[in-house]
Amino acid sequence: MLFADWRIGLIVLVIAIGLMAITRYVSLGSILGAIAFFVISVFVHWGDLVYLVFAFVMAGSLIVMHRANIKRLLSGTESKLGQKKA
């Protein structure tokens, strides 16, 4: 995301790290960071259809890649950052 627009990338990085620090779920920070990337892109690049399609595909791809993590988050079995494995 930093290569696409460094300003949006930095904002998303702060959001993702903040969520990871609060919840200790790396996957949740990544997923919500991808959503934030698209939402912020809509506001910053309104009217640039090519960029918005790119942002949508990037965010969608990341969410699809994390579908196993999403299932574990919903079931409450996702491991937290710093948690020892059983």
Side-chain angles (χ1 to χ4, degrees):
M1 294 176 195
L2 285 170
F3 75 88
D5 186 325
W6 65 271
R7 300 164 299 176
I8 296 173
L10 289 177
I11 294 168
V12 169
L13 182 65
V14 169
I15 290 170
I17 290 174
L19 283 167
M20 289 176 205
I22 292 168
T23 65
R24 294 181 36 215
Y25 288 119
V26 174
S27 58
L28 183 62
S30 299
I31 294 163
L32 292 179
I35 294 168
F37 173 68
F38 177 70
V39 170
I40 295 168
S41 293
V42 168
F43 289 105
V44 173
H45 293 281
W46 183 254
D48 185 353
L49 185 61
V50 172
Y51 191 91
L52 295 179
V53 169
F54 163 76
F56 181 78
V57 169
M58 287 285 294
S61 297
L62 191 137
I63 292 168
V64 168
M65 290 172 55
H66 279 81
R67 62 185 179 270
N69 298 87
I70 294 169
K71 288 178 186 175
R72 286 193 298 270
L73 282 166
L74 292 173
S75 69
T77 59
E78 179 76 353
S79 59
K80 290 187 174 188
L81 184 64
Q83 182 181 31
K84 294 186 179 189
K85 295 193 178 196

